[in-house]
Amino acid sequence: MSLNMNSIIAKKRDGGKLTEEEIRYFVEGYTKGDIPDYQASALLMAIYLKEMDEEETFILTSAMRDSGDIIDLSAIKGIKVDKHSTGGIGDKITLVAGPLAAACGVPIAKMSGRGLGFTGGTIDKLESIPGFQTTLEPEDFYKQVEEIGISLIGQSGHIAPADKKIYALRDVTATVGNLSLISSSIMSKKLAAGSDAIVLDVKCGKGAFMENEEEAVKLAETMCKIGNSAGKKTVAVLTDMNQPLGHAVGNALEVIEAIDCLKGTGPKDVTDLALYLSGLMVYLGGKASSPEEGHEKVEEALSSGRALEVLRKLIVAQGGNGDVVSDYDILPKAQHSVDLILNEEMLKSSGIEGAKEVYVSEMENRLIGIASQLTGAGRAVKEDEIDPSAGVIVHKKIGDQVKLGEVLATFYGNDEKKVTNAIKEAASIYTFSMEPTEAPVLIKRTIM
Ligand code: URA
């Protein structure tokens, strides 16, 4: 019997298991434009409600991977290792972990994304460095990795075009939050990007796709299974996203913080996570016999300054001014800044009256991402221009003691109105308590 969307939708609606032929029929037909949005939406909703099993999820991922170019990195010698984060606030880890792993001999040929909504993207951060080019011809991309060990470029439009179309539809049909759909979306792009091994940083908490740890574990396990079944050694690390990573949120601000980490003067959480993930990258890249040895190697790459030198070379190779690693004035600077100050009103919202000194007990992390976006650091829609100097420096985080009148966070940007607007959103970011609160554990578990 010939395939048709109506019967595929009905089968999934009734809880049936789709065959490879049916899944590929949908993915190929929808990518080509032969299947209309209304039928694709109906199928996505049926998948959302009735779910897919492991086999269906793997087939969906493979079909989406096969919908576009599959990058061939075989021209680059060695085991190429990719790293991917499911997205977070202040996540500048690639800028630190990439040079650390490259400094230990792991070739990093990485395509990164741009920010959309409340999360940032590595490519926007790099583009805040004047002159930095994020588009390279394939030959130049390979040559650069051969010569200096690393290249970071933007994602080509031909990688997993099925995901691009399906994701846009999920976004407007309330079908984003499904395990099979998220894991196939992420992994189709990772499998097409050509690396031999993958380290996944799966975020969990208030600023993440998965707020709940149990769901984040399931997502991590599913993505590891997909990667390993596709012949790419995949490891996932579950990490906290209940507060920003480090203090800086926003493009140039995050570049400064990443450079600080490579100088050994950055925030401990960013440095610890970058060392942990890059240690795993070094292990998967065959340059260490265990994750522990990988960790020792990246620690040495950091303390010797070799990783900072790799970042400088990367910036120069892609057209930027390498002096930025020692002169932050080269980066765009915001003309306006406004402080968020702890006042009695905020304490009242936490049910506290008359106190002069409190502790930060919780943060609405997503709101920080939204406020940063409002300063001009992020985009509401793809076409929005971003202000590379804009963003937030979060001075106080969970567990920190804070006095009435003290600055909690500073908002930066070139558009005064935007900065003022952003700070209005920010009033309810913090919750306080009279009792000391432990900061959340950053690295929760590793799934190999
Ligand atoms: N990131 C993706 O690329 N896809 C999803 O579905 C969720 C996060």
Side-chain angles (χ1 to χ4, degrees):
M1 212 175 71
S2 72
L3 292 169
N4 71 78
M5 269 310 276
N6 201 19
S7 56
I8 295 173
I9 296 165
K11 187 176 184 186
K12 191 38 90 183
R13 178 201 62 200
D14 298 339
K17 177 168 170 157
L18 300 180
T19 63
E20 171 150 13
E21 215 188 351
E22 288 166 333
I23 293 171
R24 286 194 179 268
Y25 175 84
F26 158 63
V27 172
E28 284 162 23
Y30 186 57
T31 311
K32 270 198 257 158
D34 295 346
I35 293 167
D37 283 349
Y38 53 81
Q39 284 187 315
S41 311
L43 181 61
L44 289 171
M45 186 55 84
I47 293 171
Y48 184 94
L49 295 171
K50 295 294 163 115
E51 305 191 334
M52 279 182 145
D53 70 9
E54 247 173 49
E55 197 182 349
E56 288 173 294
T57 306
F58 181 71
I59 295 167
L60 178 64
T61 312
S62 309
M64 293 199 325
R65 171 200 60 197
D66 297 342
S67 67
D69 294 345
I70 297 178
I71 307 293
D72 178 7
L73 296 178
S74 59
I76 302 165
K77 287 193 276 304
I79 303 172
K80 278 73 68 184
V81 184
D82 200 353
K83 174 248 157 206
H84 180 81
S85 154
T86 58
I89 318 294
D91 187 353
K92 70 280 293 170
I93 296 294
T94 295
L95 300 181
V96 188
L100 281 167
C104 296
V106 179
I108 307 293
K110 182 163 169 50
M111 289 185 188
S112 289
R114 293 189 183 276
L116 186 62
F118 65 87
T119 59
T122 301
I123 288 304
D124 296 325
K125 298 175 214 244
L126 286 168
E127 283 182 352
S128 72
I129 302 168
F132 195 99
Q133 299 301 314
T134 54
T135 317
L136 294 180
E137 288 302 321
E139 289 68 33
D140 296 331
F141 178 56
Y142 305 147
K143 194 161 158 257
Q144 185 178 316
V145 181
E146 285 286 352
E147 284 175 6
I148 65 166
I150 184 167
S151 183
L152 300 176
I153 59 169
Q155 199 168 295
S156 107
H158 312 299
I159 296 267
D163 173 63
K164 213 173 192 173
K165 273 195 90 174
I166 294 173
Y167 191 85
L169 194 60
R170 286 166 58 210
D171 209 18
V172 292
T173 55
T175 51
V176 169
N178 169 272
L179 187 70
S180 294
L181 296 177
I182 296 178
S183 42
S184 58
S185 164
I186 294 173
M187 291 306 288
S188 60
K189 289 172 287 200
K190 290 290 110 186
L191 298 184
S195 284
D196 307 300
I198 305 161
V199 174
L200 297 166
D201 180 1
V202 179
K203 303 290 185 196
C204 159
K206 286 187 174 178
F209 265 101
M210 298 292 181
E211 286 207 11
N212 163 305
E213 185 162 338
E214 217 174 292
E215 285 187 358
V217 170
K218 268 200 226 151
L219 177 64
E221 285 173 347
T222 305
M223 292 197 293
C224 281
K225 274 189 195 143
I226 293 172
N228 288 314
S229 304
K232 301 195 188 262
K233 190 118 192 57
T234 306
V235 172
V237 183
L238 211 72
T239 68
D240 180 73
M241 202 16 85
N242 283 301
Q243 58 179 349
L245 257 175
H247 299 285
V249 184
N251 299 293
L253 297 172
E254 292 191 45
V255 167
I256 293 173
E257 195 166 75
I259 297 171
D260 280 345
C261 287
L262 289 173
K263 289 178 178 167
T265 57
K268 185 171 177 336
D269 58 346
V270 182
T271 309
D272 285 352
L273 184 55
L275 285 169
Y276 190 80
L277 295 175
S278 57
L280 285 170
M281 291 165 83
V282 171
Y283 166 61
L284 291 185
K287 301 291 178 189
S289 56
S290 66
E292 294 73 25
E293 195 196 337
H295 198 272
E296 281 166 25
K297 289 200 164 179
V298 289
E299 274 185 328
E300 190 280 327
L302 190 144
S303 59
S304 63
R306 286 193 297 113
L308 179 66
E309 179 55 13
V310 169
L311 178 67
R312 194 192 64 76
K313 283 188 182 159
L314 165 72
I315 294 169
V316 173
Q318 290 188 221
N321 183 346
D323 293 343
V324 75
V325 301
S326 49
D327 181 3
Y328 297 155
D329 285 342
I330 290 170
L331 290 166
K333 267 213 168 60
Q335 282 168 22
H336 302 283
S337 68
V338 184
D339 288 333
L340 178 71
I341 292 170
L342 177 61
N343 59 31
E344 282 173 351
E345 210 49 46
M346 288 183 208
L347 289 184
K348 263 191 211 150
S349 305
S350 297
I352 298 172
E353 283 197 54
K356 295 275 179 265
E357 220 166 63
V358 291
Y359 295 88
V360 176
S361 58
E362 271 181 63
M363 295 178 85
E364 277 309 319
N365 203 16
R366 204 170 283 235
L367 260 189
I368 300 175
I370 292 168
S372 169
Q373 179 194 330
L374 291 175
T375 61
R379 303 179 179 84
V381 292
K382 244 184 15 235
E383 294 71 27
D384 282 351
E385 285 255 333
I386 58 170
D387 171 358
S389 71
V392 189
I393 295 288
V394 179
H395 305 289
K396 298 290 180 185
K397 293 176 52 174
I398 299 175
D400 287 347
Q401 196 170 32
V402 47
K403 291 189 178 74
L404 209 59
E406 227 183 318
V407 180
L408 295 163
T410 307
F411 292 71
Y412 295 91
N414 281 319
D415 184 330
E416 198 170 4
K417 245 207 208 132
K418 284 188 179 173
V419 180
T420 317
N421 249 347
I423 206 156
K424 280 188 204 141
E425 281 292 319
S428 51
I429 285 174
Y430 286 93
T431 304
F432 302 95
S433 95
M434 294 298 295
E435 309 303 327
T437 311
E438 293 266 325
V441 174
L442 178 62
I443 300 170
K444 293 171 181 292
R445 66 168 101 168
T446 304
I447 294 156
M448 292 249 191

